[in-house]
Amino acid sequence: MDKTDILNYIRDSIVNLDFEKSKEFTKIALENKVDPQEIILKSIAEGMEIVGKKFEASEYFLSELIVAGEIGKEITQILQPYLKGAEVKKIGKVVIGTVSGDLHDIGKNIVSMMLEASEFEVVDLGADVPVESFLEAVKREKPQVVAMSALLTVTMVEMKNVIEALKKTGLRDRVKVIIGGAAVTEEFAKSIGADGYGANAVQGVRICKGWIT
Amino acid sequence: MDKTDILNYIRDSIVNLDFEKSKEFTKIALENKVDPQEIILKSIAEGMEIVGKKFEASEYFLSELIVAGEIGKEITQILQPYLKGAEVKKIGKVVIGTVSGDLHDIGKNIVSMMLEASEFEVVDLGADVPVESFLEAVKREKPQVVAMSALLTVTMVEMKNVIEALKKTGLRDRVKVIIGGAAVTEEFAKSIGADGYGANAVQGVRICKGWIT
Amino acid sequence: MRFKEVTLSPDTLIFGRAKYPLRYGHNLEVGKGQVIPEIKYFPRVDKDVKEEYGKITESILKRAVDLDIRSLQLETELTYLEMRTKDLPGDITQLQRHIIDRYAQEYGLNIGFRVTVADIRDLGRPKHDEDSYMKIMETFESVASNGADVLSIESEGGKELFNYAIIRQDILGVVASIGQLAALDMKKLWKDIVKIANNKHVIAGGDSACAFANTAMRLAGGKRDNVIAHSLAALVRVMSASRSLVAYEEGAVGPGKDCAYENVFIKAITGYPMSTEGKSAAVAHSSLVGNIIAATCDLWSNEQTENINLFGGCGPEVFLEILYYDTKIMNTALEMGKEKELKSLFVKSDKYVDPQAYVLAPEVAYEICKAIVGEEDFFSRTLTSAYETTSMLLNDDRLALAKNEIRFLEATRTRLEGLNKNPSKVQELLTSYEPKVTKLRIRDYFDV
Amino acid sequence: MRFKEVTLSPDTLIFGRAKYPLRYGHNLEVGKGQVIPEIKYFPRVDKDVKEEYGKITESILKRAVDLDIRSLQLETELTYLEMRTKDLPGDITQLQRHIIDRYAQEYGLNIGFRVTVADIRDLGRPKHDEDSYMKIMETFESVASNGADVLSIESEGGKELFNYAIIRQDILGVVASIGQLAALDMKKLWKDIVKIANNKHVIAGGDSACAFANTAMRLAGGKRDNVIAHSLAALVRVMSASRSLVAYEEGAVGPGKDCAYENVFIKAITGYPMSTEGKSAAVAHSSLVGNIIAATCDLWSNEQTENINLFGGCGPEVFLEILYYDTKIMNTALEMGKEKELKSLFVKSDKYVDPQAYVLAPEVAYEICKAIVGEEDFFSRTLTSAYETTSMLLNDDRLALAKNEIRFLEATRTRLEGLNKNPSKVQELLTSYEPKVTKLRIRDYFDV
Ligand SMILES: [Zn+2]
Ligand SMILES: [Zn+2]
Ligand SMILES: [Zn+2]
């Protein structure tokens, strides 16, 4: 097997959403002294791009985009020790959570995983997150973005509370705030002073990317 | 025909909603020197009471209550010259109108007529009434009550404008304000600082009466 | 042109099929074998009007794509306030037109677009408020130029007398207002509207007696409400048929406006496709005829829904979804040849609940239509059809009318019987109201 | 008790008729020849909660009187936040009970009252979060004592694994979560609920796999949405049947909760009457199954509507009116012996639109039910019924599935085929998820 073949195999195993094969070929690549940077730039990046195009052409489901992202993440972790000190660079950091009183986390999880697949570092606080936890995470993690989700009308008001608390503690200007979830509308986002509103996961990630680059 | 017969005939013609007969018998009564006060107290008051009971028992329609009220009013007008200076006393005065931008006047008319049938003096400003006209009428007529109606959501805000204007001109404390109409709710009434809300005509009139007596 | 026959029989008068189907907008076919949802909406009060119309239109068409709705119609009903703002009606129309065109092209949707102009004339002077009349006609021109496919109005000529009469249950005043004043006003108005429609190559859709029959319906209220007789509301609906028919005699071709429940009669007589609102109109007002009215519709509407957030989406898109599922059942029935069975369910589920429902049953409506076309002039049509209806209502025991309804109907029948169809008598009757009804000027209606 | 046969045939599985009708509340009969509207609502956020429930209840019952609705059911679905407030669930129940009793007495209405308790356990520890479990049971006791006629819950055992699996289209994880974890949790939970219901002489109504199947439905979205395969959402619905059945095996008798579209299967197997939401659920979320689900319901619901002002009244009363007209058509069909024709329209209008609709068609559902009752244990039922469904979906060309749907189904069939029903293998499968799913603790489900 020559180098190009190996790189293509890794790429294809990502496109085929095949966890096992992707790990296997990555090991073979390392055994064959393929440059880890090349695996990242050729196999993973190209694989993700193909999957992204297939999603846009309605050939793939969003769930498959997510799985591909996870495979890419796993390969990167395997490559980590061989990257000679150079950490894989993240493009930005997001603190994300479903607000207090709301146990719905599936939409939040999708956004979270898609952010990771888009090279964000994601600090996921989970569901039913109280205001204080958001504040602490902002202080501790120094993210560029705070993302909040709410499915229920009754819990939407919590988003406002978080933004108010960020203001009071002088943290508001350090972060962009984006919100989303079934109950939330663009107008509501504006009315509580959020910087962005994601009608769906794809759009939410696009907005976050726009803020960073 | 003795006096009692004549009084009963007038009463019955009101109950039967018979305009012509009621006028005819009223003239006969006057020719026979029946005391006009007695016609008012016996024939009209009793007639109206019977009609009211028939309405409550679902035998009569509200429209028939209104017509009976109009007959009573017409008889009273015939009797006026014979009442020896003593004006028929009204129990209170209401300025009423549909607010600016709203041409719907049927609900307002029903309330207006039912107020008259309940011995109120009614100053009906019509439909599409601008704020200033309400103000002028309050200054000029010195009513105890201002009643406003709106059918449309878009025109509801006008009610608030009228109340604000009454406040600014120092007239607010001189009147009670009641509002009604399809778009209006009790909560809206409270939120704009109205004193009362009439879910229907019967209720509206009841509230106005409560304020006077 | 005067309609002298009833085009559809009780049997052929059915949802989804008209004798004279229409085709307009983006290949929308109406009355040609399927029922189409017609979604209606109004902006929130405290928002930018144009922005609201844009959002509404987008969300509706997005939902159509999500549900794979292939054919639909939008209706914008301009308000009094929108009419008062210069250029706004045309701007709204154009804005919506662009969005509609984009979706039609991108997804191949069949879309029709109706714009209804508000009758902004002062109630009291239908003829002499020339400025308002001109404004109405200018608005028709403007929306037709800016992309409306269908023009409609809910005109209000005769309403000053009607308002006086209806709350007194004064049947003679009601007949005079609808049967003479409203009809005369319609004649002038629709001659002018049809002219504009023809010039601009758009559809003259028809008028609704909303200001009369729906006012009566709302006054009648629920089963236990007692403001006016429910039979009176039924009679007003019947009388409205003669009035609304005038638009079609002047050249309108449908689809008639949704809130005109009298479209049942109009469809039977003209054979043109009609829109009706039904059970989903509960979002705007309660009614006792939510199913029976579906028996004969070609477009199926929600009356009107505010653009508020309803969790499942904004009001208009939510109601489009509900309407769509209703039409799917009707269209499946049409495909399977089971439409008569379904129609019969719609009719039977409501027919005997209330006189207002009863008169809309196709077999009853047909008899009423025969009474209408049997007469020559506006007034006689109105009078005779109302008279015949009183008899039909009194003679069907299954209606189980309350005592006060029977009392009302018997008294009304006697009064209608006594009403002479002679034109000079009618004039006399009308004139008798002039001193009583503040803004009524009878001469206005005749000096056209 | 374990269901080993399918009680209803594709033919007898129909709206309004159950094999074992129920009678409760104010003489409400469910499943005995008519479909009854079940109206659901939630208070506005910024208002006093109790006051809101009072207003909602009044306006609903007032509308029932206006429209002459003789039979109806109200459902209060307690929220997480309401559950957290001491005494509130009981207070709300009592408040509504008083109003219901007043209307029942004054107008002779037949009214049922369902209270649904929220599953407030932390997703990750369905067994070990003892405090929350106790709180749930206390709330059931409280609402039963304070006037609820029917008890329900939408329990969420197994959801921590399901949430992980569904967004990855990981079919093995989905089967394991619903077929093993959820079912085990249901068994314990419903044993306890049925005990309370029996003690308090109220009805144990059943559970909804809302947290699974409706989550999948929402992820699947509209016809052109592409988040997860629509076939997967259909499979999750099918698998939910085995899960929700457990409540009835533990003693629940229906009517099952409205948002459980799997009630089609449950009704077929158990013969108990069921509630379902349909097209009017658009007010809460869009769906592709708005008509077909009506084919088999005994109560007909709107999902849930906020108590906002909709011009025609507040949300709940407006939706009661819409539901009522729907039920009138069904009930007229039942009276006229035309119910099979109407059912067929409901089914045919949706069946081939989407796999999610397809599996709900009575003739399809019946085959799936046979697969369910043919197996002995929870997991095998779930696995086999899902497997059979993949074949049925792949083999019916009229479905016209998109390429990616076919790809998904074929891969899924292979994966399900490879899944061994052997208990130790299942355990192994489950255990493999523990390191991946943060809060998952498999042992919690088995150590009961
Ligand atoms: Zn109208
Ligand atoms: Zn209407
Ligand atoms: Zn649910």
Side-chain angles (χ1 to χ4, degrees):
Chain A
M1 255 190 306
D2 77 356
K3 200 184 77 177
T4 319
D5 281 343
I6 300 179
L7 288 171
N8 288 349
Y9 284 137
I10 299 175
R11 181 198 64 201
D12 294 348
S13 62
I14 292 174
V15 174
N16 297 328
L17 311 175
D18 193 330
F19 256 100
E20 298 311 314
K21 285 242 169 74
S22 73
K23 280 192 256 181
E24 205 175 292
F25 287 119
T26 304
K27 274 173 205 156
I28 295 172
L30 289 171
E31 283 160 17
N32 286 279
K33 312 279 181 208
V34 179
D35 179 5
Q37 284 292 357
E38 218 169 337
I39 298 176
I40 289 173
L41 290 171
K42 292 266 165 178
S43 307
I44 302 182
E46 279 178 20
M48 286 305 294
E49 201 185 317
I50 294 169
V51 171
K53 282 197 178 134
K54 279 179 180 282
F55 169 66
E56 269 160 33
S58 296
E59 282 173 48
Y60 268 28
F61 299 102
L62 183 73
S63 62
E64 297 176 313
L65 198 61
I66 288 171
V67 171
E70 291 201 309
I71 297 175
K73 197 174 146 192
E74 192 139 326
I75 298 173
T76 313
Q77 267 160 10
I78 297 172
L79 300 177
Q80 201 73 62
Y82 304 87
L83 281 169
K84 293 164 191 159
E87 280 265 324
V88 181
K89 243 193 108 186
K90 296 287 179 180
I91 64 169
K93 200 180 208 177
V94 181
V95 161
I96 191 168
T98 304
V99 295
S100 177
D102 208 322
L103 296 174
H104 297 86
D105 64 353
I106 227 168
K108 184 266 298 166
N109 289 350
I110 291 177
V111 175
S112 174
M113 284 186 290
M114 288 192 56
L115 284 167
E116 288 193 335
S118 302
E119 304 300 334
F120 276 93
E121 186 181 347
V122 178
V123 181
D124 191 336
L125 305 177
D128 194 15
V129 179
V131 175
E132 305 73 49
S133 304
F134 277 106
L135 290 185
E136 280 163 23
V138 170
K139 282 182 208 155
R140 187 180 65 236
E141 305 285 347
K142 308 203 189 333
Q144 285 88 6
V145 179
V146 172
M148 291 183 281
S149 161
L151 186 89
L152 304 171
T153 328
V154 282
T155 55
M156 276 164 60
V157 68
E158 279 296 312
M159 298 176 154
K160 194 181 172 185
N161 296 342
V162 172
I163 292 177
E164 295 302 324
L166 286 171
K167 278 188 196 156
K168 266 193 202 136
T169 50
L171 298 166
R172 181 67 186 86
D173 297 338
R174 299 196 206 160
V175 291
K176 292 279 191 185
V177 176
I178 183 167
I179 67 173
V184 180
T185 63
E186 181 153 22
E187 274 158 24
F188 176 75
K190 270 186 204 157
S191 78
I192 64 166
D195 302 299
Y197 159 70
N200 53 51
V202 177
Q203 197 186 312
V205 171
R206 196 174 296 144
I207 291 170
C208 291
K209 270 189 175 168
W211 283 334
I212 300 303
T213 53
Chain B
M1 257 192 299
D2 76 356
K3 201 183 75 176
T4 319
D5 280 344
I6 299 177
L7 288 172
N8 288 349
Y9 283 138
I10 299 176
R11 181 198 64 201
D12 293 349
S13 62
I14 291 174
V15 175
N16 296 328
L17 310 176
D18 192 329
F19 256 100
E20 298 312 314
K21 285 245 168 72
S22 72
K23 280 193 256 182
E24 206 175 291
F25 286 119
T26 305
K27 273 173 207 155
I28 294 173
L30 290 172
E31 282 160 17
N32 284 279
K33 312 280 179 207
V34 179
D35 178 5
Q37 285 291 0
E38 218 168 337
I39 298 176
I40 290 173
L41 290 173
K42 290 265 165 179
S43 307
I44 302 183
E46 278 179 19
M48 284 306 294
E49 201 184 315
I50 294 169
V51 171
K53 281 195 179 136
K54 277 176 181 285
F55 170 66
E56 269 161 33
S58 296
E59 284 173 45
Y60 269 29
F61 299 102
L62 183 72
S63 62
E64 296 176 312
L65 197 60
I66 288 171
V67 171
E70 292 201 306
I71 297 176
K73 196 172 145 192
E74 193 141 323
I75 298 174
T76 314
Q77 266 159 11
I78 297 172
L79 298 178
Q80 201 72 63
Y82 304 86
L83 282 169
K84 294 165 193 157
E87 279 265 324
V88 181
K89 243 193 108 189
K90 294 289 178 180
I91 65 168
K93 201 180 206 176
V94 181
V95 161
I96 191 169
T98 304
V99 295
S100 178
D102 208 322
L103 296 174
H104 298 85
D105 63 353
I106 228 169
K108 183 265 298 168
N109 289 350
I110 291 177
V111 175
S112 174
M113 283 186 292
M114 287 192 55
L115 284 167
E116 287 193 334
S118 302
E119 305 300 334
F120 276 94
E121 186 180 348
V122 178
V123 181
D124 190 337
L125 305 176
D128 193 15
V129 179
V131 175
E132 306 74 49
S133 304
F134 277 107
L135 290 186
E136 281 162 24
V138 170
K139 281 183 209 156
R140 187 180 66 236
E141 305 286 347
K142 308 201 189 338
Q144 285 87 5
V145 179
V146 172
M148 291 183 282
S149 162
L151 186 88
L152 304 171
T153 327
V154 281
T155 55
M156 274 164 60
V157 67
E158 279 294 314
M159 296 176 154
K160 193 180 174 186
N161 295 343
V162 172
I163 292 176
E164 295 302 324
L166 286 171
K167 278 186 195 156
K168 265 194 202 136
T169 49
L171 297 166
R172 181 66 185 88
D173 298 337
R174 298 197 205 159
V175 290
K176 292 278 191 184
V177 176
I178 184 168
I179 68 174
V184 180
T185 64
E186 180 152 21
E187 275 158 24
F188 176 76
K190 269 186 203 158
S191 78
I192 64 166
D195 302 299
Y197 159 70
N200 54 50
V202 176
Q203 196 186 312
V205 171
R206 197 173 296 145
I207 291 170
C208 291
K209 269 189 178 169
W211 283 334
I212 299 303
T213 52
Chain C
M1 197 264 268
R2 177 139 298 183
F3 289 100
K4 299 199 166 169
E5 269 164 36
V6 187
T7 302
L8 300 174
S9 70
D11 227 39
T12 54
L13 176 56
I14 194 164
F15 57 79
R17 283 207 200 102
K19 179 89 182 272
Y20 307 107
L22 293 165
R23 187 194 175 97
Y24 55 82
H26 287 282
N27 299 315
L28 189 73
E29 290 190 311
V30 180
K32 213 182 170 180
Q34 61 167 325
V35 178
I36 290 150
E38 177 167 30
I39 182 72
K40 296 179 55 190
Y41 37 77
F42 62 100
R44 286 167 295 177
V45 179
D46 49 340
K47 308 286 173 185
D48 180 81
V49 176
K50 280 192 234 174
E51 213 174 281
E52 279 287 286
Y53 277 109
K55 280 184 187 171
I56 289 168
T57 312
E58 282 277 358
S59 69
I60 285 170
L61 295 173
K62 165 86 169 59
R63 181 67 60 109
V65 171
D66 281 346
L67 292 175
D68 211 14
I69 303 179
R70 307 306 305 158
S71 299
L72 75 159
Q73 178 152 310
L74 286 83
E75 178 184 341
T76 294
E77 205 170 294
L78 296 166
T79 66
Y80 189 68
L81 292 171
E82 285 159 7
M83 293 277 290
R84 276 180 173 174
T85 312
K86 195 169 150 42
D87 295 335
L88 188 57
D91 289 354
I92 293 170
T93 306
Q94 194 179 60
L95 174 87
Q96 294 190 269
R97 180 82 258 163
H98 285 322
I99 302 171
I100 288 169
D101 289 348
R102 177 155 49 79
Y103 272 85
Q105 275 146 30
E106 194 163 337
Y107 299 100
L109 306 185
N110 307 315
I111 315 176
F113 182 29
R114 184 204 298 269
V115 178
T116 295
V117 168
D119 185 352
I120 54 170
R121 296 170 297 171
D122 180 349
L123 275 192
R125 283 168 299 250
K127 283 292 137 10
H128 285 198
D129 185 359
E130 281 294 342
D131 285 354
S132 299
Y133 192 85
M134 289 310 295
K135 178 82 190 160
I136 291 170
M137 291 305 150
E138 277 164 25
T139 309
F140 271 119
E141 297 235 9
S142 166
V143 299
S145 307
N146 281 290
D149 296 321
V150 180
L151 305 180
S152 283
I153 189 169
E154 307 185 351
S155 70
E156 305 205 345
K159 180 130 166 91
E160 66 284 42
L161 174 52
F162 177 79
N163 278 3
Y164 174 88
I166 189 70
I167 51 174
R168 292 167 174 84
Q169 296 208 140
D170 173 354
I171 192 72
L172 302 189
V174 170
V175 179
S177 66
I178 302 176
Q180 190 62 278
L181 302 186
L184 283 170
D185 185 55
M186 288 277 290
K187 197 172 152 65
K188 152 101 173 116
L189 192 65
W190 275 93
K191 208 187 285 292
D192 290 347
I193 297 170
V194 168
K195 216 178 286 167
I196 292 170
N198 289 344
N199 278 338
K200 302 281 179 184
H201 304 290
V202 301
I203 305 268
D207 204 308
S208 163
C210 193
F212 306 90
N214 294 351
T215 296
M217 176 166 74
R218 291 186 81 148
L219 285 175
K223 270 310 278 180
R224 285 167 191 259
D225 285 327
N226 225 13
V227 175
I228 62 167
H230 288 216
S231 314
L232 175 55
L235 292 178
V236 173
R237 185 68 68 193
V238 166
M239 292 188 246
S240 295
S242 296
R243 170 232 174 247
S244 297
L245 189 61
V246 178
Y248 305 90
E249 297 193 324
E250 294 305 321
V253 293
K257 243 195 83 65
D258 64 330
C259 66
Y261 294 74
E262 69 268 20
N263 281 344
V264 176
F265 309 100
I266 306 286
K267 181 169 174 177
I269 293 173
T270 66
Y272 296 147
M274 294 289 137
S275 181
T276 60
E277 60 185 44
K279 56 188 164 188
S280 300
V283 72
H285 58 74
S286 187
S287 98
L288 295 164
V289 299
N291 280 339
I292 200 167
I293 190 68
T296 52
C297 68
D298 299 291
L299 292 149
W300 181 235
S301 129
N302 59 316
E303 153 72 274
Q304 227 180 2
T305 309
E306 191 177 359
N307 186 36
I308 40 170
N309 185 13
L310 288 177
F311 204 74
C314 71
E317 58 177 316
V318 165
F319 275 82
L320 173 65
E321 180 160 338
I322 295 174
L323 289 176
Y324 175 58
Y325 277 109
D326 290 341
T327 62
K328 276 178 97 174
I329 298 174
M330 299 192 242
N331 293 335
T332 304
L334 284 161
E335 276 163 34
M336 294 172 65
K338 295 283 182 192
E339 66 275 20
K340 283 183 190 165
E341 283 82 351
L342 181 57
K343 172 184 157 187
S344 157
L345 296 179
F346 286 138
V347 172
K348 294 212 166 121
S349 76
D350 282 344
K351 184 171 175 184
Y352 295 107
V353 167
D354 197 87
Q356 297 174 83
Y358 186 81
V359 298
L360 299 180
E363 61 280 12
V364 177
Y366 180 73
E367 295 302 321
I368 293 170
C369 288
K370 284 203 294 189
I372 293 172
V373 298
E375 297 283 350
E376 282 294 313
D377 62 287
F378 299 150
F379 190 79
S380 306
R381 284 175 166 187
T382 311
L383 177 59
T384 304
S385 58
Y387 178 76
E388 294 297 333
T389 305
T390 58
S391 304
M392 290 168 79
L393 290 173
L394 282 166
N395 293 338
D396 196 330
D397 290 342
R398 283 163 295 183
L399 257 171
L401 292 172
K403 267 191 205 156
N404 56 359
E405 294 285 342
I406 294 173
R407 178 173 58 77
F408 166 81
L409 277 169
E410 282 171 348
T412 297
R413 184 157 61 167
T414 309
R415 254 176 233 152
L416 290 175
E417 218 159 14
L419 194 58
N420 202 313
K421 294 184 199 169
N422 178 317
S424 72
K425 290 285 175 186
V426 177
Q427 195 69 29
E428 206 175 281
L429 168 67
L430 278 168
T431 311
S432 75
Y433 282 104
E434 237 171 3
K436 292 188 253 182
V437 182
T438 326
K439 290 181 165 183
L440 180 62
R441 293 236 304 273
I442 301 297
R443 212 198 285 157
D444 287 4
Y445 287 90
F446 290 90
D447 290 351
V448 193
Chain D
M1 195 266 269
R2 177 139 299 182
F3 290 98
K4 299 198 167 173
E5 269 165 36
V6 187
T7 302
L8 300 174
S9 70
D11 226 39
T12 54
L13 176 56
I14 194 164
F15 56 79
R17 283 207 201 102
K19 180 91 182 272
Y20 307 107
L22 292 165
R23 187 195 175 98
Y24 55 82
H26 288 282
N27 299 314
L28 189 73
E29 290 190 311
V30 180
K32 214 182 169 178
Q34 61 167 324
V35 178
I36 289 150
E38 178 167 28
I39 182 73
K40 297 178 53 190
Y41 36 76
F42 62 98
R44 287 168 296 177
V45 179
D46 49 341
K47 308 287 174 184
D48 179 81
V49 176
K50 281 192 235 173
E51 212 175 282
E52 279 288 285
Y53 277 109
K55 279 184 187 172
I56 289 168
T57 312
E58 281 277 357
S59 70
I60 285 170
L61 295 173
K62 165 86 169 58
R63 181 67 60 106
V65 170
D66 281 346
L67 292 175
D68 212 12
I69 303 179
R70 308 303 308 156
S71 300
L72 74 160
Q73 179 153 309
L74 286 83
E75 178 185 339
T76 294
E77 206 171 293
L78 295 166
T79 66
Y80 189 69
L81 292 171
E82 285 158 8
M83 293 278 290
R84 276 179 172 176
T85 310
K86 194 168 150 45
D87 295 336
L88 189 57
D91 289 353
I92 292 169
T93 307
Q94 193 179 61
L95 174 86
Q96 294 190 269
R97 179 82 258 162
H98 285 322
I99 301 171
I100 288 169
D101 289 346
R102 177 154 51 78
Y103 272 84
Q105 274 147 29
E106 194 163 338
Y107 300 100
L109 305 185
N110 307 313
I111 316 177
F113 181 29
R114 185 203 299 266
V115 178
T116 294
V117 168
D119 185 352
I120 55 170
R121 296 171 296 171
D122 181 348
L123 277 191
R125 283 169 299 253
K127 283 293 136 12
H128 285 201
D129 185 0
E130 281 294 341
D131 287 352
S132 299
Y133 192 86
M134 290 310 295
K135 178 82 190 161
I136 291 169
M137 291 305 149
E138 277 164 26
T139 308
F140 271 119
E141 297 235 9
S142 166
V143 299
S145 307
N146 281 290
D149 298 320
V150 181
L151 305 181
S152 282
I153 189 169
E154 306 185 352
S155 71
E156 305 206 344
K159 181 132 166 90
E160 67 283 43
L161 175 52
F162 177 80
N163 278 4
Y164 174 87
I166 189 71
I167 51 176
R168 292 164 174 86
Q169 295 208 141
D170 173 354
I171 193 71
L172 301 188
V174 170
V175 179
S177 65
I178 302 176
Q180 190 61 278
L181 303 185
L184 283 171
D185 185 54
M186 287 276 293
K187 197 171 150 66
K188 152 102 174 118
L189 192 65
W190 275 93
K191 210 187 287 290
D192 291 345
I193 297 170
V194 168
K195 215 178 289 166
I196 293 170
N198 289 345
N199 278 339
K200 302 280 180 186
H201 304 290
V202 300
I203 305 268
D207 203 309
S208 163
C210 193
F212 307 89
N214 294 350
T215 296
M217 176 166 75
R218 291 185 82 149
L219 284 174
K223 269 311 276 180
R224 284 165 191 260
D225 285 327
N226 225 14
V227 175
I228 62 167
H230 287 216
S231 314
L232 175 56
L235 291 179
V236 173
R237 184 68 67 194
V238 166
M239 292 186 245
S240 296
S242 296
R243 170 230 175 249
S244 297
L245 190 61
V246 178
Y248 304 91
E249 296 192 324
E250 294 304 323
V253 293
K257 243 195 82 68
D258 64 329
C259 66
Y261 294 74
E262 69 269 21
N263 281 344
V264 176
F265 309 101
I266 306 286
K267 181 170 174 179
I269 294 173
T270 65
Y272 297 146
M274 293 290 137
S275 181
T276 59
E277 61 185 45
K279 58 187 164 188
S280 300
V283 73
H285 58 76
S286 187
S287 99
L288 295 164
V289 298
N291 281 339
I292 199 166
I293 190 66
T296 52
C297 68
D298 300 290
L299 291 150
W300 181 236
S301 128
N302 59 315
E303 152 73 272
Q304 227 181 2
T305 309
E306 192 178 358
N307 186 35
I308 40 170
N309 185 13
L310 287 177
F311 204 76
C314 71
E317 58 177 315
V318 164
F319 275 82
L320 173 65
E321 179 161 338
I322 295 173
L323 290 176
Y324 175 59
Y325 276 109
D326 290 341
T327 61
K328 276 178 96 175
I329 297 173
M330 298 192 242
N331 292 335
T332 304
L334 285 161
E335 276 163 34
M336 294 171 65
K338 295 284 182 191
E339 67 274 19
K340 284 185 190 165
E341 283 83 350
L342 181 58
K343 172 184 158 189
S344 157
L345 295 178
F346 287 138
V347 173
K348 293 210 166 123
S349 75
D350 282 344
K351 183 172 176 184
Y352 296 107
V353 167
D354 198 86
Q356 297 174 81
Y358 186 81
V359 298
L360 299 180
E363 61 280 11
V364 178
Y366 179 74
E367 295 302 322
I368 293 170
C369 288
K370 283 201 294 188
I372 293 172
V373 297
E375 298 283 352
E376 281 294 314
D377 62 286
F378 300 150
F379 190 79
S380 305
R381 283 175 169 188
T382 311
L383 177 59
T384 305
S385 59
Y387 179 77
E388 293 297 334
T389 305
T390 57
S391 303
M392 291 168 79
L393 290 172
L394 282 166
N395 293 337
D396 196 329
D397 291 343
R398 283 164 294 183
L399 257 173
L401 292 173
K403 266 191 208 158
N404 56 359
E405 294 285 341
I406 294 173
R407 179 174 56 78
F408 166 82
L409 278 170
E410 283 171 348
T412 296
R413 185 158 58 166
T414 310
R415 255 175 233 152
L416 291 176
E417 220 159 11
L419 195 56
N420 202 313
K421 294 184 200 169
N422 179 315
S424 72
K425 290 283 174 189
V426 176
Q427 195 68 29
E428 204 175 284
L429 170 67
L430 278 168
T431 311
S432 76
Y433 283 103
E434 235 169 6
K436 293 188 252 182
V437 181
T438 325
K439 293 183 163 181
L440 181 61
R441 294 237 304 272
I442 301 297
R443 211 198 288 157
D444 288 2
Y445 287 90
F446 290 89
D447 291 349
V448 193

